[in-house]
Amino acid sequence: MDIAIMGAGLSGLACAITLEKNGITPKIFEKRSKVGDRFINGEVFLDIFSRPVHDCIADLADAHGIFLKPTATIQKMKLISKNEQATIKGHLGFISIRGREQDSLESQLAQQSKATIHYNSKKTYEQLLSEYTHVVMATGDGDYAKKTNNFREDLSVSIKGATIEGTFDPISVMAWIDYDLAPYGYCFLIPFSETEANISLAIPNIPKNVDVKISQLWELFYAKIRSQLKQEFPITDEFQISQYPIGICLSPRIGNTFYVGNCFGTLMPFMGFGQYASILSGVFAAYDLCGLGKYEELMKPIRQSYDDSLILRRTMEQLSNDGLDRAIRALQGYWGEKLFQTKTINPLKVASYLLRPYIKLQKWRT
Ligand SMILES: Cc1cc2nc3c(=O)[nH]c(=O)nc-3n(C[C@H](O)[C@H](O)[C@H](O)COP(=O)(O)OP(=O)(O)OC[C@H]3O[C@@H](n4cnc5c(N)ncnc54)[C@H](O)[C@@H]3O)c2cc1C
């Protein structure tokens, strides 16, 4: 069996590590000149999004032999709407660093693999398919799946982000769900040390946002965090992503091609999280290739999470700042912490189940 992996990101590298553990050495083709050669980004693993798993870093190590060191655990999260704030405390998840940093998740994964990585690759999918018995598509987007009509695009988002310098509590994350700042979207402040953090603003490209200019929103958000946190926050790096498609493959495997990570649809529509599901999808594709499971079956819970997340996203698009204020007020105190700490139910799954009829009704009305 000759396996090519297209893309040395989270899903591609997790796939390679798992194949190697089972005696198969794949070849990896990466278009960039090294692993993680992109903007530096602080990202989060939030436990509430990985239920029934309570600690995804431990799960990846214990159940799948993938070892990751996050930069910090998240012990506090502040959720801010237009007029309300809720502070949730407890073990809420992890902060990871992505991109060009030495300790980025992709660098950590690359160190666990001995597979040859062919950098600056210009190989197309078609070339790889003709040269190898199996191809694992791990390019971080649905472009190839779209070409073969195997991708249902549900929305696209535009994101602007920056690295800022200042004084930060490295275990504390902030999220703004305020439609004056990011209509139908959200903003984050994720520290990756005591002196550096990542700030980002994401908005869906929906008809209601057609006249919205992300650069103007950015100015508003940047001014807001500087006044709210009383610091200057000089920017040291910036990035912008326009019209990034979010969707899901109809079939995770077609013939001898496996779609993993965002190529499959692990980027969740509600808040744009996808690290854990991407890594798992790479592991699951490798299990199938090693005869340890069926990829389509193994991916069913991730597909379900995607569908649940899409319901939450569509609900978010129906809300106003008043509704968000009410939601944030309800999260303040005992109930918020209970929701984030609960181990018996998956709150997002329950919410999406309850909201399904409402979303169907909205669809029917439009
Ligand atoms: C701004 C931003 C913030 C995010 N924040 C969070 C967060 O806080 N929490 C969270 O869980 N998720 C977050 N995500 C989502 C998460 O980063 C992704 O879901 C995850 O990285 C996807 O992994 P992947 O393996 O599919 O792709 P990637 O890790 O992006 O890897 C894709 C690799 O393929 C390579 N490649 C691309 N095209 C080709 C080609 N033609 N040939 C060869 N190689 C190619 C790329 O160079 C890259 O190395 C965020 C995403 C973005 C964009």
Side-chain angles (χ1 to χ4, degrees):
M1 206 187 277
D2 267 342
I3 300 169
I5 299 175
M6 193 168 178
L10 299 191
S11 57
L13 291 166
C15 184
I17 295 166
T18 312
L19 288 171
E20 288 169 64
K21 279 187 200 299
N22 289 283
I24 299 173
T25 306
K27 292 226 166 57
I28 307 177
F29 295 85
E30 166 56 51
K31 79 166 179 190
R32 294 198 166 110
S33 58
K34 57 181 183 182
V35 167
D37 192 14
R38 48 157 259 198
F39 58 89
I40 294 172
N41 201 29
E43 297 191 3
V44 291
F45 289 90
L46 281 184
D47 291 348
I48 192 169
F49 289 106
S50 60
R51 299 282 187 252
V53 167
H54 306 306
D55 179 329
C56 37
I57 298 294
D59 177 67
L60 288 171
D62 298 351
H64 306 294
I66 303 278
F67 299 96
L68 295 172
K69 290 192 193 84
T71 52
T73 59
I74 306 171
Q75 297 291 346
K76 190 162 127 189
M77 188 159 68
K78 198 177 251 191
L79 300 167
I80 307 164
S81 62
K82 187 171 177 181
N83 302 300
E84 299 285 344
Q85 289 195 5
T87 303
I88 316 283
K89 288 183 184 157
H91 175 70
L92 304 173
F94 299 93
I95 298 176
S96 61
I97 193 149
R98 302 289 311 275
R100 263 175 254 121
E101 277 286 300
Q102 202 186 340
D103 287 334
S104 71
L105 282 195
E106 38 277 76
S107 303
Q108 292 184 33
L109 288 170
Q111 280 163 22
Q112 292 168 53
S113 166
K114 290 195 178 61
T116 309
I117 305 181
H118 299 271
Y119 291 108
N120 302 309
S121 168
K122 295 202 171 23
K123 292 258 186 193
T124 62
Y125 161 66
E126 290 77 11
Q127 283 172 321
L128 292 178
L129 196 61
S130 70
E131 292 166 22
Y132 292 83
T133 60
H134 295 80
V135 178
V136 177
M137 294 298 289
T139 54
D141 56 52
D143 284 359
Y144 270 98
K146 261 199 232 172
K147 276 191 202 160
T148 52
N149 288 334
N150 184 29
F151 195 77
R152 186 193 78 214
E153 187 173 324
D154 290 312
L155 72 146
S156 70
V157 289
S158 293
I159 311 170
K160 193 164 164 54
T163 301
I164 53 172
E165 285 179 346
T167 306
F168 305 100
D169 176 4
I171 57 171
S172 188
V173 166
M174 296 173 82
W176 288 259
I177 310 161
D178 172 346
Y179 289 172
D180 287 355
L181 295 177
Y184 311 101
Y186 42 83
C187 305
F188 273 106
L189 185 153
I190 302 173
F192 42 86
S193 73
E194 286 177 0
T195 54
E196 275 185 308
N198 176 252
I199 51 170
S200 59
L201 182 155
I203 49 164
N205 300 303
I206 53 176
K208 289 178 193 171
N209 276 348
V210 74
D211 294 325
V212 167
K213 301 241 173 328
I214 198 164
S215 51
Q216 285 172 2
L217 295 171
W218 179 258
E219 289 309 319
L220 206 66
F221 171 53
Y222 186 42
K224 178 116 185 166
I225 57 161
R226 281 184 295 169
S227 70
Q228 232 169 29
L229 302 177
K230 299 184 177 57
Q231 295 191 52
E232 273 311 302
F233 292 142
I235 288 177
T236 55
D237 195 14
E238 275 185 291
F239 68 87
Q240 185 159 346
I241 303 169
S242 298
Q243 313 267 351
Y244 187 86
I246 298 185
I248 192 158
C249 272
L250 307 176
S251 302
R253 174 182 180 171
I254 294 185
N256 289 334
T257 302
F258 291 74
Y259 296 90
V260 299
N262 290 356
C263 283
F264 164 74
T266 49
L267 190 62
M268 299 292 152
F270 177 44
M271 297 290 271
F273 294 145
Q275 298 185 108
Y276 178 56
S278 294
I279 295 170
L280 276 184
S281 68
V283 170
F284 291 163
Y287 285 166
D288 190 327
L289 286 159
C290 300
L292 300 173
K294 286 280 162 228
Y295 187 49
E296 186 136 15
E297 281 301 310
L298 293 166
M299 289 301 280
K300 276 186 178 160
I302 293 180
R303 185 181 287 284
Q304 184 61 52
S305 296
Y306 179 93
D307 290 342
D308 293 340
S309 185
L310 187 58
I311 295 281
L312 298 178
R313 157 111 315 269
R314 295 299 180 225
T315 308
M316 202 171 165
E317 287 163 12
Q318 305 295 332
L319 290 178
S320 63
N321 269 335
D322 287 347
L324 294 172
D325 279 342
R326 279 196 293 278
I328 298 297
R329 204 179 312 131
L331 287 176
Q332 180 59 49
Y334 176 81
W335 288 111
E337 264 159 41
K338 264 265 170 272
L339 186 78
F340 276 81
Q341 304 290 346
T342 180
K343 295 193 170 157
T344 45
I345 56 160
N346 179 342
L348 301 179
K349 206 178 173 68
V350 173
S352 101
Y353 182 74
L354 296 174
L355 289 164
R356 250 160 239 259
Y358 169 71
I359 292 300
K360 273 199 187 129
L361 187 71
Q362 295 297 324
K363 241 191 196 165
W364 178 74
R365 278 192 180 144
T366 49

